[in-house]
């Protein structure tokens, strides 16, 4: 490991970027083998940005811009190993793997006279993995991810908006990539909406035309949290349509296992059936992003407070705060912990309150 660090410093002092990149990659590999996964990930993230800057010398560097503001209307990112980390239910995973295989074998399909079907529409509640899934597909296909920037795509001049859409699709058709249109409903609204101006309807017409003409060598992914706003004709333009919903019981367990894999905890191995079921049930209704935020907050607190283990009451506390924003009534909070599998003795030690107080608060009605 020390050899790699010395070589990286040598490369930096001599402005040898390739040497820095190669030895940093080797350092990340060795750290991962030694079990320091988090540090390895940080190095790889920095390297992916480096890869992006190196690749800017190729045909992807001439990004389209909004004529009025001169802002880039896309961002380009490159697939990294971290993009492979995503929790999917079995049905969704099978659909996505099939979608990826169809793209990879598109020449075989075209030879047989079949349409490739390279467009995917994702919809569902916020925080359920639509953006993560686009990154996952980027990783699996080894294609750069071209993300449309809605802040610069939508021009104050609606005629320019249609031109910006055209520029994005032309760019993505010239370079093999994944074009990702997030918040898709903003530019794909129902054309019979009486509150929208005629010019905006022409924007939707332009969008539909560009989808129809999109290159089969690239992939189009659109995502929305408001599928009810989409124009009917837009739905028909997508070969694959997937709903990404909030995680079910099994997905919550898989998600927790993934998030807690580098943390000392036994909450998922508990032999107490009531404790385990109650604990998981409290996470129902949260999105993947919500659960990730809850767990990461617990991990941060454990690191700051030098606590070696995360317990179910740590996570239940964050769930309670997420729902109520504060602990206004201690008795109510104690009862909540008890109902969800935390014993009276554990509450006594965790909250530093007397057992008598705990017993009084946990009397069930």
């Amino acid at each position: 490991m020390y050899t790699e660090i010395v070589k990286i410093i040598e490369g930096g002092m001599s402005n040898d970027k390739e040497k820095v990149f190669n030895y940093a990659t080797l350092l990340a590999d060795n750290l991962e083998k030694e079990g320091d996964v988090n540090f390895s990930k940080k190095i790889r993230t920095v390297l992916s940005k480096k890869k992006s800057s190196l690749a800017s010398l190729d045909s992807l560097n001439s990004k389209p811009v909004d004529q009025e503001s001169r802002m880039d209307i896309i961002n380009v990112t490159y697939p990294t190993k971290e993009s492979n980390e995503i929790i999917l239910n079995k049905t969704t995973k099978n659909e996505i793997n099939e979608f990826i295989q169809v793209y990879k074998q598109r020449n075989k399909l075209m030879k047989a006279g079949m349409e490739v079907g390279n467009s995917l529409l994702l919809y569902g509640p916020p925080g359920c993995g639509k953006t993560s899934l686009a990154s996952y597909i980027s990783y699996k296909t080894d294609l750069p991810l071209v993300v449309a920037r809605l802040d610069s795509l939508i021009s104050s001049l609606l005629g320019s908006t249609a031109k910006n859409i055209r520029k994005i699709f032309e760019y993505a058709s010239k370079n093999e990539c994944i074009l990702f249109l997030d918040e898709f409903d903003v530019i794909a609204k129902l054309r019979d909406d009486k509150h929208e101006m005629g010019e905006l309807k022409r924007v939707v017409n332009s969008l539909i035309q560009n989808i129809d003409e999109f290159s089969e060598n690239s992939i189009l992914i659109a995502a929305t949290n408001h599928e009810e706003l989409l124009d009917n004709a837009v739905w028909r333009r997508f070969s694959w349509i997937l709903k990404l919903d909030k995680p079910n019981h099994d997905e919550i367990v898989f998600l927790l296992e993934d998030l807690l894999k580098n943390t000392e905890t036994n909450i998922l191995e508990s032999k107490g059936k009531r404790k385990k079921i109650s604990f998981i049930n409290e996470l129902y209704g949260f999105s993947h992003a919500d659960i990730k935020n809850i767990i990461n907050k617990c991990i941060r607190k454990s690191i700051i407070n030098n606590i070696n283990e995360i317990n179910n009451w740590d996570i239940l506390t964050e769930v309670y705060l997420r729902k109520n924003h504060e602990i206004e009534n201690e008795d109510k909070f104690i009862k909540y912990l008890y109902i969800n599998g935390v014993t009276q003795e554990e509450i006594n030690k965790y909250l530093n309150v007397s057992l008598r107080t705990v017993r009084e608060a946990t009397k069930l009605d």
Side-chain angles (χ1 to χ4, degrees):
M1 184 172 72
Y2 296 106
T3 302
E4 289 86 352
I5 293 173
V6 171
K7 294 295 183 182
I8 291 168
I9 294 171
E10 288 177 354
M13 296 296 289
S14 60
N15 201 28
D16 188 341
K17 296 179 182 179
E18 186 175 355
K19 185 175 184 178
V20 173
F21 187 90
N22 291 338
Y23 277 102
T25 301
L26 183 59
L27 176 61
D29 291 340
N30 290 335
L31 285 167
E32 188 171 351
K33 289 176 184 177
E34 293 175 7
D36 198 342
V37 178
N38 291 331
F39 192 24
S40 175
K41 282 184 179 181
K42 288 181 181 179
I43 293 174
R44 293 187 196 282
T45 299
V46 174
L47 292 177
S48 71
K49 294 176 183 177
K50 172 64 181 173
K51 182 179 178 182
S52 174
S53 64
L54 290 172
S56 65
L57 298 174
D58 65 18
S59 61
L60 283 167
N61 73 323
S62 53
K63 299 178 184 177
V65 299
D66 175 55
Q67 188 172 1
E68 183 183 4
S69 66
R70 305 310 299 171
M71 291 174 60
D72 288 342
I73 54 179
I74 61 163
N75 286 328
V76 181
T77 60
Y78 293 80
T80 63
K81 189 174 181 180
E82 285 69 41
S83 304
N84 193 28
E85 299 175 5
I86 186 169
I87 306 298
L88 300 169
N89 63 49
K90 186 176 180 180
T91 302
T92 303
K93 190 169 186 176
N94 289 340
E95 285 288 301
I96 291 302
N97 287 337
E98 188 176 340
F99 175 77
I100 291 168
Q101 287 306 311
V102 164
Y103 174 77
K104 287 183 175 180
Q105 300 188 47
R106 61 190 182 281
N107 291 333
K108 185 178 180 180
L109 291 170
M110 286 188 283
K111 188 176 180 180
M114 296 291 295
E115 292 184 1
V116 174
N118 59 337
S119 55
L120 171 65
L121 175 61
L122 305 172
Y123 72 96
C128 288
K130 293 182 284 294
T131 302
S132 297
L133 187 51
S135 297
Y136 173 82
I137 295 172
S138 170
Y139 175 81
K140 287 296 185 181
T141 56
D142 198 30
L143 291 173
L145 186 65
V146 176
V147 183
R149 292 183 52 182
L150 287 176
D151 59 339
S152 50
L153 170 62
I154 306 298
S155 174
S156 59
L157 302 172
L158 288 175
S160 295
T161 298
K163 290 179 183 177
N164 286 342
I165 291 171
R166 184 67 168 170
K167 287 178 185 177
I168 289 173
F169 274 86
E170 286 178 347
Y171 175 88
S173 292
K174 289 176 183 176
N175 309 280
E176 286 191 13
C177 64
I178 295 174
L179 175 57
F180 182 50
L181 305 175
D182 200 3
E183 299 181 45
F184 189 53
D185 49 278
V186 174
I187 56 172
K189 287 184 177 179
L190 282 163
R191 284 171 291 178
D192 60 1
D193 187 339
K194 297 177 182 178
H195 301 287
E196 299 294 357
M197 296 179 292
E199 186 62 39
L200 191 54
K201 294 175 183 179
R202 284 190 282 276
V203 167
V204 178
N205 288 337
S206 173
L207 172 67
I208 291 171
Q209 182 181 355
N210 280 286
I211 293 175
D212 288 341
E213 297 172 356
F214 190 60
S215 169
E216 291 184 332
N217 289 321
S218 290
I219 291 174
L220 172 63
I221 302 177
T224 178
N225 303 329
H226 302 286
E227 67 277 5
E228 73 281 356
L229 298 178
L230 298 184
D231 191 277
N232 290 332
V234 170
W235 286 91
R236 295 195 296 270
R237 262 59 190 186
F238 286 86
S239 310
W240 305 70
I241 299 174
L242 280 178
K243 181 180 181 181
L244 298 183
D245 218 334
K246 293 177 180 179
N248 58 28
H249 179 278
D250 289 341
E251 289 176 88
I252 291 173
V253 173
F254 290 142
L255 187 56
L256 290 175
E257 288 174 345
D258 182 65
L259 293 170
L260 294 168
K261 62 187 176 185
N262 298 315
T263 306
E264 287 292 328
T265 182
N266 64 356
I267 58 173
L268 297 175
E269 301 169 3
S270 173
K271 295 180 181 179
K273 188 175 180 182
R274 185 178 74 86
K275 178 185 286 190
K276 187 170 183 178
I277 292 174
S278 296
F279 171 70
I280 299 299
N281 284 349
E282 278 304 294
L283 291 170
Y284 280 145
F286 285 114
S287 69
H288 296 75
D290 289 332
I291 295 174
K292 185 176 181 179
N293 286 334
I294 288 169
I295 300 303
N296 284 343
K297 192 173 179 183
C298 290
I299 295 172
R300 284 195 294 267
K301 281 187 176 181
S302 71
I303 294 170
I304 291 170
N305 296 315
N306 296 315
I307 299 172
N308 296 326
E309 186 177 33
I310 290 178
N311 294 288
N312 61 332
W313 54 80
D314 297 312
I315 298 175
L316 285 167
T317 299
E318 296 307 323
V319 171
Y320 188 89
L321 289 172
R322 192 96 178 170
K323 291 178 177 178
N324 301 283
H325 310 298
E326 62 178 342
I327 300 174
E328 188 175 358
N329 186 313
E330 188 178 63
D331 285 352
K332 185 178 178 182
F333 177 58
I334 290 171
K335 191 171 185 178
Y336 168 82
L337 293 175
Y338 181 69
I339 290 172
N340 287 289
V342 186
T343 67
Q344 292 180 340
E345 290 74 17
E346 288 169 338
I347 296 171
N348 163 243
K349 292 178 182 178
Y350 173 55
L351 297 180
N352 195 25
V353 295
S354 68
L355 271 174
R356 181 177 177 180
T357 299
V358 175
R359 288 174 185 141
E360 285 294 319
T362 54
K363 285 181 178 178
L364 302 179
D365 298 329

